[in-house]
Amino acid sequence: MAKPTAILHRNDPDKPPLVGHVKVTRDDWLNVARDILVSEGVGEVKVLGIAERLDVSRSSFYWYFKSRKDLLDQLLESWEQSNTGIMVRHTEVPASTINAALNNFFRCVVDPTGFNHQLDFAVREWARRDGSVRRVIDRSDTARHAAIAAMFARHGYAPAEADIRARVLYYQQIGYYALDLSETLEERLSRVEGYLYCFSGVRPTAAEVAEFTAFARRVSRA
């Protein structure tokens, strides 16, 4: 192992030098914390455990975070910006028809680099034990629902109908992951036409079904 390097703390020169692998970044700490949150729960997200996985001194943690609570706050903020942000942005992608808009929405949940459903449920489990996290979950659910409802409204649905269709779509998607179904990709794709019709009330064109099917298969191979 290479000898650890010591450098001055860039935020406070009076603090002890940072000892460890200086290439370890804030994102590295957050990524490992996120992995632990998903696989073991928030109770196991501990500074020492993360430092051991990163093979750095525990003291280097304070280069980026004030405390474990600060780490957890930043982890929660990162989740909200990524999962909720990704879903909202996908509802806002321009589309010529409602089924094309739905295809955009579903892109974010089938793309492995998009919406992270395992992280979403880890945060929801965390919220069962922490009221402040529960409030963030509620805020995110409200933002997601509002974005989906706005998507329907842009395609001519009355406000009350847009609200209900948004709820059905969002609750179905979250419930799908909660059930942890073992469908294959091809089984899911065989239902694309029916799903689009169910959610929109409009028969999708063959081109709309084919476009989403091709995208899902492409990201699955990648």
Side-chain angles (χ1 to χ4, degrees):
M1 182 186 303
K3 183 178 179 180
T5 303
I7 59 178
L8 292 177
H9 195 290
R10 68 182 67 175
N11 296 320
D12 186 350
D14 294 328
K15 286 188 177 182
L18 172 66
V19 178
H21 299 289
V22 295
K23 291 184 179 180
V24 171
T25 66
R26 170 183 172 274
D27 284 345
D28 292 326
W29 281 93
L30 286 173
N31 288 338
V32 174
R34 188 179 298 113
D35 289 344
I36 295 173
L37 174 65
V38 169
S39 61
E40 302 177 42
V42 69
E44 295 304 314
V45 180
K46 300 174 181 177
V47 177
L48 182 57
I50 300 172
E52 289 175 347
R53 294 197 187 198
L54 289 171
D55 191 25
V56 296
S57 166
R58 177 177 177 175
S59 63
S60 67
F61 169 83
Y62 297 100
W63 178 258
Y64 302 109
F65 308 98
K66 297 176 182 178
S67 62
R68 178 177 181 269
K69 182 181 183 304
D70 184 32
L71 168 67
L72 293 178
D73 288 345
Q74 292 192 42
L75 185 61
L76 188 61
E77 181 182 0
S78 173
W79 162 80
E80 191 171 20
Q81 291 175 350
S82 59
N83 267 19
T84 298
I86 285 170
M87 184 171 286
V88 169
R89 287 193 296 274
H90 275 74
T91 67
E92 296 172 343
V93 175
S96 58
T97 69
I98 183 57
N99 284 320
L102 286 168
N103 278 345
N104 290 333
F105 172 83
F106 285 121
R107 281 173 178 257
C108 84
V109 296
V110 301
D111 188 345
T113 64
F115 183 84
N116 185 332
H117 69 276
Q118 293 177 320
L119 175 61
D120 221 58
F121 277 95
V123 173
R124 291 178 188 279
E125 183 62 26
W126 177 8
R128 294 177 186 273
R129 299 167 175 79
D130 190 322
S132 63
V133 178
R134 177 72 259 176
R135 288 189 288 274
V136 176
I137 286 276
D138 291 344
R139 181 175 68 205
S140 285
D141 283 338
T142 298
R144 295 173 188 183
H145 166 259
I148 298 170
M151 178 185 73
F152 280 105
R154 285 194 298 275
H155 288 274
Y157 294 80
E161 184 176 356
D163 172 75
I164 293 300
R165 288 188 180 276
R167 291 177 189 276
V168 171
L169 174 58
Y170 182 56
Y171 298 161
Q172 183 273 345
Q173 191 59 56
I174 295 299
Y176 184 95
Y177 288 128
L179 291 172
D180 196 23
L181 299 176
S182 58
E183 289 181 326
T184 66
L185 175 64
E186 291 306 314
E187 286 176 320
R188 293 185 70 180
L189 293 179
S190 71
R191 301 185 177 96
V192 167
E193 182 177 359
Y195 279 144
L196 290 174
Y197 177 57
C198 177
F199 292 130
S200 70
V202 178
R203 290 287 180 188
T205 66
E208 288 169 336
V209 174
E211 185 275 336
F212 180 77
T213 299
F215 171 80
R217 286 176 176 153
R218 185 165 63 251
V219 297
S220 177
R221 289 194 298 269

